[in-house]
Amino acid sequence: MNLSSDANQVAFQMSPAKVLLSILPCLFFIYINGVMLVTLLRKPHLLETSRYILFGHLLLTDTLQLMLTMLLYIFAITIVTMINHLCMLVVQLAAVTVKLSPLNLAVMSLERYVAICFPLRHVNIVTIRTTRIAIVVMWSMASLDSFVQLLLFVRLENSNSVMSQYCSRNNVWRLKIYTTIDAIFTILYFLIVGVIIFYTYIAIIFAVRSASTNVREASKARNTVMLHMFQLCLCLTSTLFNVIYTGGLMNLKPEMELHFHYALFVGLIIFPKFLSPLIYGLRDTTFTHGFCYYFTFGCNGNVRSSS
């Protein structure tokens, strides 16, 4: 969480109830994502399908993002200090996972677009190899601005001293050039992802109206892409609030600042992580049986036999 130095004294005023309401949902969603990852690993035939590989990658990156965000949140409310390089590693890895979520949504939308609009070529276009290449491209794109910031840090600062404040993005990247680079890349990421998801949604709508298309599958794909749009809007809202705040366009009192970031943390960071399991896990009958079995620690034997 990006809290200012003036809010340090207010951080300890957070009630235990608020801390628990922030951390417990994180732990719960990490458990849900972990169960789904185990379900995928226990069903090797699912990992032979690009759709489920991308779903597994989304679960993995969302889990990493939740863990790192929760770690930074704990650093903020306990005001933990550390050396610059260690904090930079945590902050940059968290930043990469944040950018991976919308990129992954864009690739999954493209996969649904090819499946609906080019069903006869889907097997040849969307292969295991192309899926792996797409994942490498996503990680490269998400890491590009972090790599540029790292080069600038080595050139301009390269300090490994102990931080005077807790670990956060603003306390690591103090120069204005870092904020400018982050804003430029963030705009580019969301423009690219937004155009891809919007285009695939429109294309699938036209496919639904086509008599030669499987209307049921096309409608399901359209609903999935529409939910991707909703997820992207949540990511964009969170990012815009952060850009506005770090740009100094909001003047908040320390106590209001803490509550503002608490609401942002719960509503726009924790809540969207529930949507990915809901969209792909519980809506997929092939996946649901295995998920229910592992979620209940194997207590439901009927589910095991059906899976």
Side-chain angles (χ1 to χ4, degrees):
M1 304 300 289
N2 293 321
L3 307 175
S4 71
S5 58
D6 294 333
N8 286 353
Q9 300 300 323
V10 188
F12 287 111
Q13 297 179 10
M14 290 200 68
S15 64
K18 280 189 176 181
V19 176
L20 285 176
L21 285 175
S22 301
I23 294 178
L24 288 180
C26 278
L27 295 176
F28 177 72
F29 294 142
I30 287 172
Y31 170 68
I32 293 291
N33 288 354
V35 171
M36 290 196 169
L37 284 171
V38 169
T39 304
L40 282 174
L41 294 175
R42 293 296 181 89
K43 292 178 174 290
H45 66 280
L46 293 180
L47 293 178
E48 296 175 0
T49 306
S50 296
R51 179 184 178 186
Y52 289 105
I53 293 176
L54 292 172
F55 174 46
H57 181 255
L58 182 64
L59 286 173
L60 180 61
T61 55
D62 278 355
T63 302
L64 284 174
Q65 183 183 346
L66 274 175
M67 294 173 65
L68 292 169
T69 303
M70 184 172 62
L71 187 63
L72 289 173
Y73 178 73
I74 293 173
F75 288 163
I77 62 177
T78 57
I79 316 181
V80 173
T81 58
M82 61 183 69
I83 61 175
N84 277 334
H85 288 176
L86 180 59
C87 178
M88 185 190 307
L89 178 64
V90 177
V91 167
Q92 290 304 88
L93 185 56
V96 170
T97 57
V98 168
K99 294 180 178 67
L100 278 171
S101 292
L103 290 173
N104 208 119
L105 292 176
V107 174
M108 295 176 84
S109 297
L110 285 174
E111 188 275 330
R112 289 293 83 199
Y113 163 73
V114 175
I116 299 303
C117 298
F118 304 98
L120 299 180
R121 300 176 56 189
H122 180 263
V123 178
N124 296 326
I125 297 176
V126 184
T127 63
I128 303 297
R129 182 174 179 273
T130 56
T131 303
R132 291 172 179 171
I133 292 175
I135 291 175
V136 172
V137 171
M138 282 189 283
W139 277 90
S140 300
M141 290 183 63
S143 305
L144 186 58
D145 61 328
S146 297
F147 181 71
V148 172
Q149 289 174 336
L150 181 61
L151 289 179
L152 287 174
F153 179 83
V154 172
R155 174 102 181 206
L156 300 176
E157 300 182 63
N158 197 21
S159 172
N160 196 29
S161 60
V162 177
M163 301 178 62
S164 59
Q165 301 177 14
Y166 57 88
C167 179
S168 72
R169 185 177 184 84
N170 287 347
N171 292 334
V172 173
W173 308 117
R174 294 181 296 270
L175 300 181
K176 186 177 180 180
I177 188 172
Y178 300 132
T179 305
T180 304
I181 291 173
D182 182 66
I184 292 173
F185 277 94
T186 298
I187 292 171
L188 287 176
Y189 287 136
F190 277 101
L191 279 177
I192 293 171
V193 173
V195 169
I196 291 175
I197 293 181
F198 183 76
Y199 173 77
T200 54
Y201 179 74
I202 297 299
I204 291 174
I205 285 180
F206 281 106
V208 171
R209 299 176 180 176
S210 174
S212 60
T213 304
N214 187 325
V215 177
R216 182 175 178 274
E217 288 296 324
S219 299
K220 187 176 179 181
R222 180 198 60 190
N223 294 335
T224 299
V225 176
M226 184 170 62
L227 289 171
H228 284 174
M229 281 187 178
F230 179 63
Q231 286 180 282
L232 181 63
C233 288
L234 289 177
C235 293
L236 181 59
T237 303
S238 175
T239 303
L240 285 178
F241 269 115
N242 188 54
V243 170
I244 291 172
Y245 174 74
T246 54
L249 300 180
M250 294 182 64
N251 294 319
L252 298 176
K253 296 180 180 179
E255 59 274 12
M256 291 301 297
E257 181 182 354
L258 197 64
H259 293 308
F260 169 77
H261 282 284
Y262 169 77
L264 185 67
F265 177 70
V266 175
L268 298 177
I269 295 179
I270 295 180
F271 174 70
K273 300 308 158 191
F274 177 70
L275 294 178
S276 296
L278 180 65
I279 293 172
Y280 288 97
L282 304 184
R283 292 175 69 237
D284 194 317
T285 55
T286 305
F287 189 82
T288 302
H289 294 299
F291 169 76
C292 291
Y293 172 73
Y294 293 112
F295 182 77
T296 58
F297 300 98
C299 294
N300 194 335
N302 294 329
V303 172
R304 184 179 186 181
S305 60
S306 64
S307 61

